[in-house]
Amino acid sequence: MTQTFSDLIAMDAEQRAEYTFTTLLSQGQLWGLSQKAVWAMLSAEGDACTPLFPDQQTAQHWADVHFPGAKATAISLDELQNTLFSQWQPDEVMLMLFPVVREEDAIVVKIDEMQQAIAEEQSR
């Protein structure tokens, strides 16, 4: 079942994180925010984070409010696993899964945790 934009942003933080993860597995991509060829980075409780979204619309909607000038950019599963995770890991960048405009609450995971979850799902 396809979720509407309103349905997606009405989900709680755990539902949004799960939806983002299942979208990554089923579609092979997520959406991040880039500005001048650099990925958007935020601070969440002192940790460097990059927000990730299930689709272009939710990513751009969040960017327009919280990160003006950033552009929603597709990220393939391959690019995440083989390029970005290894670039972000030395700096201990965390992954913020599908934050929404109306609240600051979002699930934040370590790259190792995401890699393990992907591996477990791919081995099924």
Side-chain angles (χ1 to χ4, degrees):
M1 178 174 105
T2 302
Q3 300 282 335
T4 67
F5 177 76
S6 297
D7 292 339
L8 292 174
I9 63 171
M11 292 177 176
D12 67 29
E14 283 189 33
Q15 291 170 319
R16 292 191 317 269
E18 182 64 27
Y19 182 79
T20 302
F21 181 70
T22 58
T23 298
L24 173 62
L25 296 174
S26 66
Q27 296 181 7
Q29 76 174 18
L30 290 179
W31 291 79
L33 303 175
S34 63
Q35 189 171 28
K36 297 179 183 173
V38 177
W39 293 104
M41 292 290 163
L42 320 167
S43 178
E45 298 179 14
D47 293 318
C49 298
T50 193
L52 298 173
F53 302 86
D55 60 35
Q56 182 178 15
Q57 184 181 15
T58 56
Q60 195 60 57
H61 179 70
W62 192 87
D64 290 345
V65 173
H66 291 288
F67 217 98
K71 178 183 175 199
T73 305
I75 306 170
S76 70
L77 176 58
D78 182 63
E79 183 180 7
L80 269 175
Q81 291 182 300
N82 297 317
T83 305
L84 296 176
F85 285 168
S86 62
Q87 289 176 358
W88 294 336
Q89 210 157 20
D91 295 324
E92 299 181 3
V93 171
M94 307 278 280
L95 309 173
M96 182 180 286
L97 302 179
F98 195 180
V100 293
V101 169
R102 64 175 166 72
E103 62 180 79
E104 296 301 316
D105 191 25
I107 301 295
V108 177
V109 298
K110 294 180 180 179
I111 289 172
D112 290 344
E113 295 168 339
M114 180 67 102
Q115 288 175 311
Q116 181 178 353
I118 291 168
E120 287 173 6
E121 287 299 315
Q122 288 179 329
S123 69
R124 290 182 181 194

